[in-house]
Amino acid sequence: MRHRMVALVMVSALATAASVTAASSSPVPARAGTGTEPRPPGPARPYGSAPPPGAPGGEAWAWTQLTSRGTQVRYVSTDTSQQCPSLRYTLGTTSDAHPMHQVSTPMGSQFPTTVCEVGVPLTASGARLEQVPAAVLHPGDRRLPLPGWTSTSRPQRIAVIGDTGCSVPRTGTVQNCADHQNGWPFPTIANSAATVTRPDLVVHVGDYLYREDPDRENDKQQNPGCTTTADAASWACVVADFFRPAQTLLATAPVALTRGNHEDCNPSFHGGAGGAWFRYLADDLRADGSCDRFTDPVALRAGLLNLVSLDSSYADPSDSGSTANRAVFTRQFEQVNQYAQRRPGEDFFLFTHKPLWMVKAAGHTTGDVTWLTRVLSEAVADTALHRLARNVRLVLSGHVHLYQMVDFGTVRPPQLTVGSSGGPPDNGPDDLSVVGQPVGTPPQPVRQSITQTVGPMGGPGIFGYADLGHGSAANTWVLTFRNTGGRVLGPTCRLDTSLDDKSFLCPPGTPAGPGTGTPGDGSSYG
């Protein structure tokens, strides 16, 4: 589903040229560090050059992830020693090495890995892995990014990505995984986000694992261990779909992750893509390969910005409008509101894979509208507040393979959908038809719709990601869409500070007309 821009009749622009020079016109200031400038990511190791899973020397991947217990560095290795490395970091003037804790050891052919983790204090700096037993480590310089914010500040720049895996279904059309520009551009998008946006936080809104039948993919040489039907949802395929294409981005910034419907449970609730999610990427990692359909919301702190991850992977599985499990999600949204009400003076972003109020299609008559996801919207309406807490300022989602921002000009937060970072594009609506359509529970008319599609009246979506920056004034956030090469398309919009009239303010002079190749003016708002 692709949605273009209609900020009061503003339509977003399409540009296919990926010019880093043009992209460098940032709408927000470069991120603040903790005494040092952010380093550019090191060169990525070529695809397919690492030892295959289970090799004596093994290959290891490390990254930094925000969790409910604070910042963690995680490490996964296929070497046979089953040993964990140490992480050295500096606190104040003292530099010490801290042994990583072993979470799990190899379990069959799906998970031939040792998983380790260690918590890192917010005030730490200079994190580097030591005593690494694996022959090959990503990142190659062994340095791990740490938060660039403090307890009294917040991220300056956030890259939002979603639906990033390469679609290789058991039947039907296979995505061109070997073409990283037009076929499966996630590796290019990840590199653009790392080098152009240079975020100090990456938010992924779900759907990492799309290789349901690796035997049908066309990039087998690049992904040893992920080449046969039996390899589906194995660690090697997790590397192929996520870690290898995202390696420069993972070396640049910590990540906040939520689960997508592709990380679903199989009939045995053990193994499969859901098992891989809980073993490697979930907030609380598991060692037994188990999978649950529903998990509690997870509150993540990024200084004064609070992120709440809500697992909507099993909300309306067929996208048919079903409201089954409404009570389950009502309880979860009550938890979200409780988190937000405990910190009424701070911003909260809800990020969840299935959108609450995303518009897939709209006609010319009022009520002729298709939106997602009814069970989630109704669950919000069933809470004690009958809405999300006032300081929940933005909902970030994916699932629909396009970029769309809609707002309502009410206490309901804007819905930002970023499902455009890798999976095959969906068709989006004409934004002019979206405006005024009643959406959600209770129905509220859409005030503004900005969708990125190839044509001015809808059509296939444009690959890319969202660049969400901290504006120059307190409590302001600035939003742009960037295409595969990092170029800004469409308007640069500022999230209004009002908690009762939540909306994005977009410049009236922004050029309209997706498909014209005219980017937004990149103006900065404060």
Side-chain angles (χ1 to χ4, degrees), residues 484-499:
T484 299
R487 182 171 181 171
V488 173
L489 300 183
T492 294
C493 303
R494 175 173 59 84
L495 181 60
D496 193 356
T497 57
S498 171
L499 298 183

Side-chain angles (χ1 to χ4, degrees), residues 352-403:
T352 183
H353 182 62
K354 295 283 186 80
L356 278 64
W357 306 295
M358 184 270 167
V359 178
K360 293 173 59 178
H364 298 296
T365 59
T366 301
D368 183 10
V369 61
T370 303
W371 57 275
L372 295 178
T373 306
R374 191 172 300 274
V375 63
L376 299 179
S377 182
E378 293 193 2
V380 169
D382 285 345
T383 62
L385 292 176
H386 307 298
R387 56 172 172 78
L388 292 175
R390 293 178 70 252
N391 55 326
V392 178
R393 297 189 63 199
L394 188 61
V395 176
L396 305 171
S397 304
H399 189 55
V400 185
H401 293 182
L402 53 73
Y403 172 94

Side-chain angles (χ1 to χ4, degrees), residues 465-478:
Y465 65 99
D467 184 333
L468 187 62
H470 182 185
S472 57
N475 298 320
T476 60
W477 293 93
V478 177

Side-chain angles (χ1 to χ4, degrees), residues 29-39 122-126 145-157 198-201 252 254 470:
R31 87 184 195 202
T34 52
T36 60
E37 286 301 308
R39 62 183 175 85
L122 183 59
T123 54
S125 62
L146 294 178
W149 57 85
T150 68
S151 60
T152 58
S153 65
R154 56 183 178 169
Q156 294 294 302
R157 206 69 174 266
R198 300 182 73 180
D200 51 1
L201 177 64
T252 301
H470 182 185

